Structures are given as structure tokens and as C-alpha cells.
Amino acid sequence: MKKVIQIPTIKDDDIGYEHLLQVAGNIFEDPYNYFDFDFSRCAMLDHSAVVMLGALARYVDYHNSQMKVSKAMFFKREHADIAGVMFLVSSMNSAVRERLIGNNFLSHFSSGTLEGYPTGGYLGYREHNYLLDADKIADHLQNEWLSAAKLRLSDKLKPAITSRILEIFSNAYGHGVSIQDMKTMGVYSCGQFKKNERSLNISVLDFGPGIIKNVKSVYGEMPSLDAMHWALVKGNSTRTDSRHADIPRGLGLDLLHNFVHVNGGELRIYSNDVKVISSKTSGLKVEANAADLRGTLVSIKINCDDRYYSFTSESKPKQQQYF
């Protein structure tokens, strides 16, 4: 059976994330189908939408590959029909199409040749397999995403921010990929630099059990908001500080939380039925989310202004911002 999924305009804002989770919910309901992703009503897609659409395509691929194996075994056939996702490039406007080419997204899903795919280091869509290559990810974050041309950070602060973002990947692997049923699915990310807004973004997504379910699996039933508050506590960030070897690690986001407040950026987390929004204007908000995400999505926005950022303990050149 074929289903057409209308992809709306999805920006990096509250409404955009609501649309995004609605699209994900449509796929989660029944992934054993052919899906056509139609972009005729989509004016633009931000990084969070790109990473989600790519991961959903792999989610459908995984479930239907399992169905293919089951059918082949049942009918004793070597081949069985499977479903999947088709991105209708012809339905995209030029802005959407150019973005999905420029961030290397379509190269992962197109058998044809489209000009303009970036090579080497680039900010865009990436699929990380189910084994964590920490050195490769750290190099990409520090030298390509947080390049000096985009943001001025001290020699101490830059690796500290890199390590906190790397911990997001580590959490996605350690308490997402490694314990999920879908063993062949990895972690998905998408970086983006908006030149007109001078903002730097990255989204990291996994379809593991999710933060809330992980915490509850160890501590038992509790309100979902309490489970998320536990995960956000500084110090709940390693397995060794817990009485159980497999305790869900906290998110270790204290430095990122402080930095986006000083910088005027934003940090978002969507996991299971809870969302977290952290910014200078909103403060830290932990709220129930109407849509249930089967996994965890973390999105970070940093403003690329002319200020120089460092720790308060460092020397103090002019035009410096401390925290």
C-alpha cells in the first residue's frame, strides 16, 4: 500500500517541531508501507526536519527489510516485495531542492546523479553507523561546525563545547543505539549555518528507547517530567556514579545550557512524551509533549556574533563575553 505524506514548511521553531513530530507519528503508526514524501506544500526545511526525514526513511527501510526476511522464510522464496520511502524531488521548490543537495541529504537516497553535492568537510546531513567514531565526530565538530570563521571561542572553551556536543552523540549510542531493538540503525545528525541570520545549528537524533523510558527502566514508574528533570541534573552524567552499571546517563548539558543563555541561542530536547526548551528568553522549560517521539532529538542553535567567548577564569581581552 502506498501512502502520500505531505511535508509542510518546517522551521526551527515551536510550530515547526509540532509539524515534524506529526510527520514522525504518521510513520511510526505503520512503517510497513510505501511512502511518497511530497514537498509541494513545503517552502523550506530546517536542520531538524532534514535529520528527522532521513532517519524516518531508514526506519521504514529497517522495518521492511525485516518483513522481507520474514516473508522470504515463510514462503521459502529468495525475494519478497518490500516497501520504502520515495522523496519526490519533482515536488520540491528550488530552495528546498538546493538545500537538500547542498547539505548532502539527497545523495543518501538518490540513485541518480545531481550536481552540487559537497565533498570532504561540509555542514549537512550525516549518517553515523552503529559504532561510535568519537575522533571523527569531534574533528568535524571542532574544525568544521565550530570553525573560527563562524564563532570566536577561546582555546579552552571551544574543546569544552565540542566535548559536550560529543556527549550528546555518546548518549545516543550508549543509551540509544546499543540497547534499541533496531541494531542496524545508528545516529543521525544535520548541521546548518544560516548566513543571513548568522546562526549555527545542529540536530542529533536516535530511535533508541528514549530518555524517559531509560530512566523509568531503572527507577521504575514515575512522572515523565520527573524522569527528564533527573536526566538534566549535573552529576548524573556517567555510569560510574550510579548504583547500577546500566543507569541512564544524564545529558551533561549544563555547559551548553549556560552558553546558549549567554549567547542568545537555544537548546531543545524532544524525547518520548517530554520536551525541553532552554534559552535566555524562556529560561529552562520542561514540559509534557502531546506527540510521543520514539527516541531522542537534540537541537542546538548558536548565534555567530562578533563577540569573543571564554570562561571567566581566562584572561580578558576586549569585547569578551564570560560565563
Side-chain angles (χ1 to χ4, degrees), residues 49-112:
V50 174
V51 74
M52 180 65 78
L53 294 181
L56 287 173
R58 299 307 186 198
Y59 183 86
V60 172
D61 287 345
Y62 173 84
H63 282 82
N64 287 285
S65 65
Q66 298 303 303
M67 183 173 68
K68 176 182 177 181
V69 172
S70 298
K71 283 184 175 181
M73 292 178 63
F74 183 79
F75 292 108
K76 297 183 179 180
R77 299 191 308 187
E78 184 177 352
H79 302 289
D81 293 334
I82 61 172
V85 170
M86 177 70 70
F87 294 93
L88 301 181
V89 177
S90 62
S91 69
M92 300 175 184
N93 65 32
S94 59
V96 171
R97 183 173 181 272
E98 288 172 8
R99 172 162 290 183
L100 295 183
I101 292 174
N103 63 20
N104 233 13
F105 177 83
L106 287 179
S107 69
H108 290 81
F109 303 100
S110 175
S111 58

Side-chain angles (χ1 to χ4, degrees), residues 24-236:
N26 288 334
I27 303 299
F28 291 146
E29 283 179 5
D30 184 11
Y32 301 100
N33 283 290
Y34 290 95
F35 293 97
D36 281 350
F37 282 8
D38 187 319
F39 295 83
S40 59
R41 300 176 186 174
C42 176
M44 68 170 293
L45 290 173
D46 267 330
H47 53 99
S48 54
V50 174
V51 74
M52 180 65 78
L53 294 181
L56 287 173
R58 299 307 186 198
Y59 183 86
V60 172
D61 287 345
Y62 173 84
H63 282 82
N64 287 285
S65 65
Q66 298 303 303
M67 183 173 68
K68 176 182 177 181
V69 172
S70 298
K71 283 184 175 181
M73 292 178 63
F74 183 79
F75 292 108
K76 297 183 179 180
R77 299 191 308 187
E78 184 177 352
H79 302 289
D81 293 334
I82 61 172
V85 170
M86 177 70 70
F87 294 93
L88 301 181
V89 177
S90 62
S91 69
M92 300 175 184
N93 65 32
S94 59
V96 171
R97 183 173 181 272
E98 288 172 8
R99 172 162 290 183
L100 295 183
I101 292 174
N103 63 20
N104 233 13
F105 177 83
L106 287 179
S107 69
H108 290 81
F109 303 100
S110 175
S111 58
T113 57
L114 294 172
E115 295 183 358
Y117 288 133
T119 57
Y122 68 93
L123 288 186
Y125 178 75
R126 293 173 181 263
E127 296 185 350
H128 313 273
N129 64 26
Y130 48 89
L131 295 175
L132 175 64
D133 189 342
D135 291 340
K136 186 176 180 179
I137 294 174
D139 181 71
H140 167 64
L141 291 172
Q142 188 153 316
N143 298 319
E144 295 165 9
W145 193 68
L146 282 175
S147 66
K150 301 184 186 75
L151 193 64
R152 299 172 63 214
L153 301 171
S154 72
D155 291 340
K156 290 184 178 180
L157 181 57
K158 185 174 182 177
I161 291 177
T162 300
S163 69
R164 296 309 190 278
I165 299 175
L166 183 60
E167 189 167 352
I168 294 172
F169 282 89
S170 297
N171 279 324
Y173 277 94
H175 293 280
V177 173
S178 67
I179 59 176
Q180 68 184 4
D181 295 331
M182 301 172 289
K183 297 300 182 185
T184 59
M185 290 193 67
V187 175
Y188 305 86
S189 70
C190 186
Q192 179 177 298
F193 177 55
K194 296 183 179 179
K195 293 182 180 180
N196 58 332
E197 297 180 12
R198 296 289 299 169
S199 66
L200 192 58
N201 308 269
I202 192 168
S203 288
V204 181
L205 171 67
D206 74 85
F207 284 148
I211 296 169
I212 308 306
K213 288 187 177 180
N214 279 338
V215 173
K216 290 182 180 181
S217 70
V218 173
Y219 284 108
E221 279 302 313
M222 67 175 75
S224 294
L225 296 183
D226 290 350
M228 180 60 82
H229 277 294
W230 181 93
L232 291 170
V233 171
K234 182 179 179 180
N236 291 346

